[in-house]
């Protein structure tokens, strides 16, 4: 029986060439406004076309002034200045006349010659009384100031965020909403991203029906297709999901028709020791090794380079990497988390593994000493771990879980207060 660590090494070696080729292939170019850009990975470094901000602008609604014109201002002896031209956001910068106070709005260009902004609430009166933009009649009125602003106060200088031609994001960066906003404001209209690995996900089982279907005797609704599809997409893959009946020829035909358009085959179900194990029957002898893993749940596993021409063992390059997971929903999802999703996350510029912690058990548990047992559970208000049953069908239990608790091979019991490794699902 293969260990979890050994199987992970085999899977990593199987996936590495495919993911490396995908990362180095021609980029996909998406508009910066594309709704699917979040989570994608830059294929090349990008630089700023313009300085950020592109001009000196005001951080506040207030008056642009020359600080020297307010020298000596105090509460007992305020300085009064004539009101100058108003600049709103979007207006071109205007000339600031020395000895005046020019109304300026947040984000608007600082009038040329002004060197500070006094917020409107510090002016007397603390409201705009006369506004005259460029092209309007000459401004009228005065405003008083009871303090002297430092030079540069509430002025956002040109390039203070990023100078022109500055690096924006390096190749390999995963795009978040904030990073997409940075690209947009820096003038990047089209974004080159790594193509996502294309996965053919095949769910098997004559007993499986669509999620919305009525249940006839002996039938269950398909949880694995939507669950694994979501997990693979969230990890950065492009997924084609298909369900096939328990007929080996149907599975072989599907793979022959679809494999060329994909880089990875994932199957769910049909690999145990029963009489109707469609995946094992269809793929055995074609490069996929079916074996038992010392893990509970998720013991049955299959992995290998599936030869698309089964009789041509001399041409391994003609194959597609295949991972075959058990059909019970918890086993299937856990197999993906243990062996596949970390590699996909890393390829998508994300942290590969779930957050790992060492925590105290709230109660005793038993585990088969010959297997690496993975239990679901939660963390209580004292930070202790509570685990639930290890069953591979308990999907409601998995959906409610905050953690995965790992009991290694060689341990058959842990007592309350013992330390256990947990992977966080809730952070």
């Amino acid at each position: 029986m293969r260990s979890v660590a050994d199987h992970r090494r085999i899977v990593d070696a199987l996936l590495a060439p495919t993911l490396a080729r995908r990362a180095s292939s021609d980029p996909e170019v998406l508009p910066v406004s594309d709704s699917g850009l979040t989570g994608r990975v830059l294929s090349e470094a990008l630089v700023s076309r313009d300085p950020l901000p592109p001009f000196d602008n005001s951080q506040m609604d207030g008056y642009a002034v020359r600080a020297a014109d307010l020298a000596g201002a105090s509460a007992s002896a305020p300085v009064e200045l004539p009101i100058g031209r108003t600049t709103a956001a979007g207006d071109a910068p205007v000339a600031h006349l020395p000895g005046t106070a020019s109304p300026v709005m947040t984000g608007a260009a600082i009038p040329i010659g002004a060197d500070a902004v006094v917020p409107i609430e510090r002016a007397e009166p603390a409201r705009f009384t006369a506004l005259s933009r460029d092209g309007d009649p000459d401004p009228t009125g005065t405003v008083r100031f009871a303090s002297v602003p430092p030079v540069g106060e509430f002025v956002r200088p040109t390039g203070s965020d990023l100078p022109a031609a500055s690096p924006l994001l390096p190749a390999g960066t995963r795009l978040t909403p904030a990073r997409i906003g940075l690209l947009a404001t820096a003038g990047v209209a089209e974004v080159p991203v790594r193509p996502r690995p294309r996965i053919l996900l095949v769910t098997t089982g004559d007993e499986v029906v669509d999620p919305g279907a009525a249940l006839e005797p002996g039938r269950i609704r398909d949880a694995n297709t939507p669950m694994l599809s979501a997990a693979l997409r969230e990890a950065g893959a492009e997924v084609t999901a298909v369900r096939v009946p328990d007929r080996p020829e149907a599975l072989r035909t599907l793979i022959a028709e679809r494999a060329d358009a994909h880089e990875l085959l994932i199957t769910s179900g049909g690999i145990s020791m029963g009489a109707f194990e469609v995946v094992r029957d269809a793929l055995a002898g074609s490069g996929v090794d079916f074996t038992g893993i010392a893990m509970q749940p998720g013991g049955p596993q299959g992995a290998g380079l599936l030869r698309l021409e089964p009789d041509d063992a001399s041409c391994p390059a003609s194959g597609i990497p295949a991972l075959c997971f058990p059909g019970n929903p918890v086993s299937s999802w856990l197999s993906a988390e243990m062996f596949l999703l970390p590699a996909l996350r890393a390829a998508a510029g994300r942290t590969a593994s779930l957050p790992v912690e060492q925590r105290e058990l709230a109660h005793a548990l038993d585990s088969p000493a010959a297997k690496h047992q993975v239990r679901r559970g939660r963390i209580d208000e004292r930070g202790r771990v509570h685990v639930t049953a290890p069953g591979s069908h308990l999907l409601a239990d998995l959906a409610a879980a905050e953690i995965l608790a790992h009991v290694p091979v060689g341990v058959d019991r842990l007592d309350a207060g013992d330390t256990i490794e947990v992977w966080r699902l809730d952070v």
Side-chain angles (χ1 to χ4, degrees), residues 169-221:
L169 299 170
T173 299
R174 181 172 178 264
L175 292 172
T176 62
R179 290 166 180 164
I180 292 170
L182 172 64
L183 297 181
T185 196
V188 178
E190 294 186 325
V191 185
V193 294
R194 292 179 185 171
R196 294 173 293 185
R198 297 168 300 186
I199 295 179
L200 177 60
L201 172 64
V202 181
T203 303
T204 65
D206 287 338
E207 76 280 13
V208 176
V209 299
D210 290 337
L215 289 182
E216 299 177 2
R219 300 299 182 93
I220 60 172
R221 296 190 179 96

Side-chain angles (χ1 to χ4, degrees), residues 2 4 42 62 126 194 236-237 296 335 394 405 415 427:
R2 186 181 294 165
V4 169
L42 279 180
R194 292 179 185 171
Q296 184 191 53
S335 298
L394 302 175
D415 292 319
V427 294

